[in-house]
Amino acid sequence: MYCRIRSFAIKGSTVTEIGVEVTITSRGIPRVEVTGVKGGECLKSIKKIRTAFNNSGLQFPNKKININVLPAGIISDITDIEFPASMGILFAHCGVVPGTSDLFYGSLNSAGFLVPATKTIFMDAGWATGRIGRLFISDGSLYFNEHKNGLNVYKLCSLSQAEDFLIKGEGTLPDGRQTLAYNYAWAGLGAGECFCNVLGNSQAKRALTISISGHHNILMLGPSGTGKSLLAEKSHTMFPEGTQKDAVEIIKAGILCGVPTENIVTTPFRRPHISAREGDLIGRPRMPGEATLAHKGILFLDEMHLFPSKVLNSLKTVIDQKKVEFNCDGVPVSYPADFLLIGAANNCMCGLLGAEDRQCKCNGKDLNTYNTRMNPSLLERFDILTHVSGSPVEAVRERGGEYSAECSTGEQIKRAVSIQRDRLGSLGISYNSGIPHESINRICNLSNDAASLLEMAVSKYGLSTRSVHRILTVSRTIADLGGASEISAAHLAEAVQYRVKNDKP
Amino acid sequence: MAVIVFYGVSIIFVFMNSAVLTYQVDFPEWAVSIKGLPKKLYVRGILPGGLDSSGIGIVGSRRISPYGIRVLRELFYFLKDAGITVISGFTAGTDSYAHELALGAGCTTVAVMPCGCDIVHPSTNKELYKRIVGGGGAVVSEFEDGFMPQKWTYPKRNRITAALSKVILVVEASLKSGSMITAGFAKKYNRKIFSVPGDIYTERSAGTNKLLSGGADIYLSPVQILNEMGVTTTQTARSSAEDIGDGGTIKESDVLNILKEKNLSFDGLGSKTGISAGSLNEILMKMLLKNLIFEKNGVYYVL
């Protein structure tokens, strides 16, 4: 007896439809064989299915069973399609023909219950468009769809329930469609947490305010012990709350990385250690890295000059493309990596350059290493470069870092973010840093003074086209922070100031 | 046959494109009388004539301090289009700064290499090498092409720097440094030495201070150099009011006056002037664009 079940393979965030063919023959030695699977590590799943049948009170057919997966070689084990495979065995054994538009997905436990699936979140609106039929997944699976379309979703608990409903035709099932807003909420920001808690460093605070308002990558340079890490941690609490869409993206990125999902979404803040290798930071074909974990949040690279230059260089394309692409066994997978990069580094390898009354002790080799790692094309990826010089002793003694209630930085950031969302919503982006080249002149309208100032800066510093584009986006954010519609010379001057450091003669 | 012609033409083409070939010239006549100098020099570019009246050698530490930068910048502000040739050693730090500033001020500049002329050493200065040769200056060496720099070639290089210059300016030097060796040769060759006085407690000024006690001329203002080189100038000092110009605001002159007293970081300036971070950024940027101040590792210096 033969039966064909429709199912899915989910690799990365790519959903591919596959077919599971089950053939049961009375001739031959009773056994189960699996074909069309790369590697053939299916013995454990078969044992589990057998136990699940027994524990559900169903009879596992004592015949020769062949399970074939089409197209061949897409998946390497059948863990994710245990439910479709067992349904195939049931259908074939009972001689019932499944509906041609029925879709199954999920894995089983040995008690015969369906295990909640997380990867089903990728069967989203974009995938479901134009599909008609019934989708059977396990109860508690993440399937959110706010659009009404032809697909009815049924959430099942156990194998026996599926048998009752699909083979015997008993009972009814509720439609399991739900929306994300119903289930998830943003974690609130820490009250009383603000840059004001950090003493001094007014330039760095201002730069960080601009950075997190407009999602501009920022690099803080300064001697050790001046508060760079502290400022980066504070910027996490100051980070503007994302939209509902962002929440979905964060949950999806977490699922890709295998992080348990929670009902409270927080802005990610990742801080990889300097021992992280290329694969840990960027990701590997089968496992995304820190870049994806930091999606829609902050990736903080502390002591950036100590990372191997190979790691830093591989980060460049990720910063530009906002995603990482791999080829995983012939299936192209893409991991999202749209993060705000906050870097912190010393001015030289020994960390003493720029410190007051201290002399740098680097030799020529150290300087070369530093310059190779922090090379100009990496620095160009940072919209904002700022120096952190620490706070004087008097300030520490005067007020020990208390939060002042009249601080309006948080309000400013919120206002700037809402202005940006209104303006850029039609372009499908939410922050100024993402303004595309073709709309830069329309959105970043310069006053006459500002235009002439920009020309002066370009001729003095020899700025590249990319630099000019970045300067324009940063000046747009500065204008938004001040609530101005046109970019004035003052806004532009500040943006240029963050771009150019250590100018040559 | 056709192939050979083609290759011949293309080889010539390649050389024409690079436009630089090393050739030999006699050592400038006025310095030939000195013993121990090579008879010939390898040159790339054009070795300017009249070095005995317009050549100034600038030497200093590889790790140039903001103090040294300020001295050089002020000097080159006055040397703008003065027809001076700057001779230096092409290494990182003071030497590169001197070459860069000379090119920026429209002076010709000569780099004396401790290796063959075709070797860019240090290799990070490739761009500077091209600009020196392309800017009417020259890269010279006593070693043939392909000769790699070695420990003993640096003092050899230093003696040529000293021999080619009319005046030597030592910006910063520790007691045991190449700059001191150059100064030693300059004294031997009867060249005029200007030494920039510095803090007696810092290592990088110990050499220059020692030179001063040993009879070198004290460098106090660019005017001394101008007089020595026979350049006439009407200017005696930079007037800040003039520099700020009509577009300048009161706040800019405030910041400039504060910076003249002490080099400060951004936050130091902020707390002294009481200007908010946003507008202070704007003021500093405008001053940077006008070349009134410069910034290094987060600290602002007046020029």
Side-chain angles (χ1 to χ4, degrees), chain A residues 202 359 389 460 497-498 502, chain B residues 204 267 281 288 297 300:
Chain A
S202 54
Q359 266 223 310
S389 52
K460 175 157 192 231
Q497 163 77 356
Y498 291 126
N502 283 344
Chain B
R204 58 168 186 263
D267 297 314
N281 261 322
L288 281 171
N297 293 322
Y300 292 88

Side-chain angles (χ1 to χ4, degrees), chain A residues 50-60 111-112 159-160 163 168:
Chain A
R50 209 185 277 268
T51 326
F53 266 67
N54 288 341
N55 287 341
S56 313
L58 300 167
Q59 198 201 351
F60 194 83
L159 205 54
S160 51
E163 194 224 2
K168 294 181 186 157

Side-chain angles (χ1 to χ4, degrees), chain A residues 191-389:
Chain A
E193 290 284 333
C194 180
F195 292 136
C196 310
N197 301 22
V198 187
L199 289 172
N201 288 330
S202 54
Q203 189 184 28
K205 285 181 195 167
R206 168 80 180 161
L208 274 171
T209 308
I210 297 164
S211 161
I212 60 178
S213 306
H215 234 262
H216 299 290
N217 295 336
I218 181 171
L219 176 62
M220 291 182 282
L221 292 166
S224 47
T226 45
K228 298 186 290 292
S229 314
L230 192 62
L231 281 166
E233 279 159 21
K234 293 285 175 209
S235 59
H236 181 217
T237 54
M238 298 290 284
F239 201 80
E241 195 172 286
T243 54
Q244 242 358 281
K245 210 176 143 198
D246 295 340
V248 185
E249 299 251 319
I250 291 171
I251 294 167
K252 281 184 178 175
I255 288 165
L256 280 173
C257 303
V259 178
T261 47
E262 288 165 25
N263 285 352
I264 302 293
V265 180
T266 39
T267 309
F269 180 81
R270 302 298 303 182
R271 189 179 181 170
H273 185 250
I274 51 167
S275 65
R277 281 172 299 173
E278 218 175 350
D280 303 332
L281 195 64
I282 311 303
R284 298 188 180 89
R286 287 177 198 283
M287 184 41 102
E290 294 287 342
T292 306
L293 280 170
H295 184 57
K296 294 286 169 196
I298 296 174
L299 180 67
F300 175 43
L301 297 185
D302 206 357
E303 309 288 348
M304 200 164 160
H305 60 293
L306 298 180
F307 278 89
S309 55
K310 199 176 162 195
V311 174
L312 293 176
N313 286 337
S314 61
L315 201 62
K316 285 179 195 166
T317 48
V318 182
I319 297 170
D320 292 346
Q321 297 178 352
K322 299 184 191 302
K323 64 182 175 191
V324 196
E325 278 169 342
F326 291 109
N327 187 332
C328 179
D329 295 341
V331 179
V333 290
S334 156
Y335 299 124
D338 180 12
F339 48 79
L340 169 63
L341 182 61
I342 299 185
N346 296 148
N347 283 317
C348 65
M349 287 312 268
C350 71
L352 292 175
L353 194 67
E356 222 169 294
D357 305 328
R358 303 287 294 276
Q359 266 223 310
C360 165
K361 293 189 168 53
C362 293
N363 56 25
K365 204 176 156 195
D366 290 337
L367 293 176
N368 278 349
T369 315
Y370 187 85
N371 288 336
T372 317
R373 287 184 185 172
M374 311 294 279
N375 53 34
S377 69
L378 177 70
L379 295 187
E380 215 180 45
R381 260 79 177 188
F382 288 99
D383 294 357
I384 298 178
L385 293 173
T386 184
H387 282 285
V388 182
S389 52

Side-chain angles (χ1 to χ4, degrees), chain A residues 7-234:
Chain A
S7 183
F8 297 95
I10 303 175
K11 262 192 189 180
S13 54
T14 322
V15 185
T16 327
E17 187 170 336
I18 55 172
V20 182
E21 292 178 311
V22 180
T23 317
I24 302 181
T25 43
S26 308
R27 297 180 60 177
I29 304 162
R31 55 183 290 223
V32 182
E33 58 187 23
V34 181
T35 50
V37 174
K38 197 188 273 180
E41 283 285 320
C42 302
L43 207 61
K44 283 168 192 158
S45 289
I46 299 298
K47 282 179 178 166
K48 208 176 7 168
I49 290 172
R50 209 185 277 268
T51 326
F53 266 67
N54 288 341
N55 287 341
S56 313
L58 300 167
Q59 198 201 351
F60 194 83
N62 195 21
K63 288 171 182 171
K64 186 184 174 183
I65 302 170
N66 175 274
I67 299 170
N68 182 37
V69 179
L70 281 175
I74 280 222
I75 54 173
S76 52
D77 61 57
I78 60 164
T79 321
D80 285 343
I81 54 162
E82 281 165 3
F83 174 50
S86 11
M87 285 315 291
I89 295 170
L90 275 177
F91 278 125
H93 186 52
C94 304
V96 179
V97 180
T100 48
S101 56
D102 287 358
L103 308 163
F104 298 85
Y105 186 82
S107 56
L108 294 169
N109 63 9
S110 17
F113 290 98
L114 271 66
V115 179
T118 48
K119 283 183 184 173
T120 43
I121 198 165
F122 298 110
M123 301 162 119
D124 52 9
W127 168 82
T129 314
R131 284 178 191 270
I132 300 165
R134 299 186 293 181
L135 172 65
F136 296 95
I137 49 177
S138 83
D139 196 22
S141 290
L142 296 175
Y143 180 85
F144 303 110
N145 204 342
E146 286 158 50
H147 303 276
K148 280 281 167 202
N149 54 36
L151 208 60
N152 291 320
V153 183
Y154 295 97
K155 295 198 168 177
L156 301 166
C157 290
S158 64
L159 205 54
S160 51
Q161 193 191 9
E163 194 224 2
D164 285 347
F165 181 68
L166 285 162
I167 292 168
K168 294 181 186 157
E170 294 166 1
T172 51
L173 288 172
D175 193 344
R177 191 196 309 269
Q178 56 183 318
T179 62
L180 194 81
Y182 165 74
N183 248 10
Y184 286 89
W186 281 91
L189 292 175
E193 290 284 333
C194 180
F195 292 136
C196 310
N197 301 22
V198 187
L199 289 172
N201 288 330
S202 54
Q203 189 184 28
K205 285 181 195 167
R206 168 80 180 161
L208 274 171
T209 308
I210 297 164
S211 161
I212 60 178
S213 306
H215 234 262
H216 299 290
N217 295 336
I218 181 171
L219 176 62
M220 291 182 282
L221 292 166
S224 47
T226 45
K228 298 186 290 292
S229 314
L230 192 62
L231 281 166
E233 279 159 21
K234 293 285 175 209

Side-chain angles (χ1 to χ4, degrees), chain A residues 200-204 206 347 353-354 356 359-363 367-368 387-390 453 456-457 460-461 489-490 493-494 496-498 500-505, chain B residues 63 73 96-97 100-101 124-125 203-204 262 265-268 270-271 277-286 288-291 293-300:
Chain A
N201 288 330
S202 54
Q203 189 184 28
R206 168 80 180 161
N347 283 317
L353 194 67
E356 222 169 294
Q359 266 223 310
C360 165
K361 293 189 168 53
C362 293
N363 56 25
L367 293 176
N368 278 349
H387 282 285
V388 182
S389 52
L453 188 73
M456 269 169 76
K460 175 157 192 231
Y461 294 112
E494 201 182 339
V496 177
Q497 163 77 356
Y498 291 126
V500 187
K501 292 288 165 195
N502 283 344
D503 53 320
K504 285 249 166 182
Chain B
R63 229 178 288 160
R73 285 201 175 219
S96 308
Y97 238 87
E100 292 261 8
L101 283 167
T124 42
N125 274 353
E203 197 194 335
R204 58 168 186 263
K262 195 179 179 228
S265 67
F266 185 93
D267 297 314
S271 62
S279 43
L280 187 57
N281 261 322
E282 179 203 343
I283 292 167
L284 288 173
M285 188 65 236
K286 285 185 173 164
L288 281 171
L289 283 178
K290 286 185 206 164
N291 275 330
I293 54 170
F294 70 97
E295 180 262 319
K296 199 167 161 61
N297 293 322
V299 183
Y300 292 88

